[in-house]
Amino acid sequence: MIARRSLLRTSGAAAAGALGVAALSSTAAAADSDPTAGVTRTLLQEHPSPAEGWEAVQTLVQIPRHKESGRHSHPGVEVGYIVRGDVLMEFDDRPPLRLRTGDPFFIPNGVIHNARNVGTVTTMMLSTYVVDETKPLVTNY
């Protein structure tokens, strides 16, 4: 199992890159120009799956106003719920999906997507993944 807990909520580009989140920038100008600045994934829990080689991971994803997660995929499915905010979920292979507070969503294994905050508050998404335990949770494109 990959020790994701040590990587989440850790400052620095190496830790952030390993999870597919942007490292916090040292200057406001750089943060303003980086569309993923301030995006965080906080690990809530992880457990072995009943299927050998897989694990269940749950995170709280926060996307500040006018920011986005960046194009990425996961080595398994993502089942999510919009706790707060408005998101335009963009996909490489299908039309975008507008999600609002209270909406659930599902992203199939390996599908490249980007969550863009199109609302007026920091978006909070509860995301649960069932993923291959030998691969990184997030692969950026």
Side-chain angles (χ1 to χ4, degrees):
M1 181 181 333
I2 296 171
R4 292 184 174 97
R5 184 172 300 281
S6 64
L7 296 175
L8 290 159
R9 287 287 185 171
T10 303
S11 62
L19 286 166
V21 292
L24 296 178
S25 174
S26 59
T27 65
D32 285 343
S33 65
D34 180 356
T36 63
V39 174
T40 61
R41 285 183 180 90
T42 303
L43 180 66
L44 301 177
Q45 57 182 330
E46 63 181 325
H47 302 280
S49 168
E52 188 173 334
W54 293 82
E55 69 178 336
V57 179
Q58 190 171 59
T59 65
L60 179 64
V61 180
Q62 296 188 68
I63 305 173
R65 288 177 51 215
H66 311 298
K67 298 295 180 176
E68 60 190 66
S69 64
R71 291 176 62 246
H72 67 281
S73 66
H74 308 284
V77 299
E78 177 180 0
V79 180
Y81 178 79
I82 306 299
V83 176
R84 177 181 72 201
D86 295 295
V87 169
L88 185 63
M89 192 69 72
E90 301 166 324
F91 303 94
D92 280 10
D93 65 346
R94 63 193 76 181
L97 180 62
R98 178 70 184 256
L99 300 166
R100 295 178 172 84
T101 301
D103 287 342
F105 62 93
F106 177 84
I107 300 175
N109 181 9
V111 169
I112 298 172
H113 58 287
N114 177 46
R116 180 183 308 275
N117 183 338
V118 293
T120 59
V121 300
T122 295
T123 293
M124 294 176 61
M125 302 186 305
L126 181 63
S127 288
T128 302
Y129 312 90
V130 178
V131 293
D132 181 332
E133 69 182 10
T134 65
K135 296 182 180 175
L137 179 62
V138 177
T139 299
N140 291 315
Y141 297 94

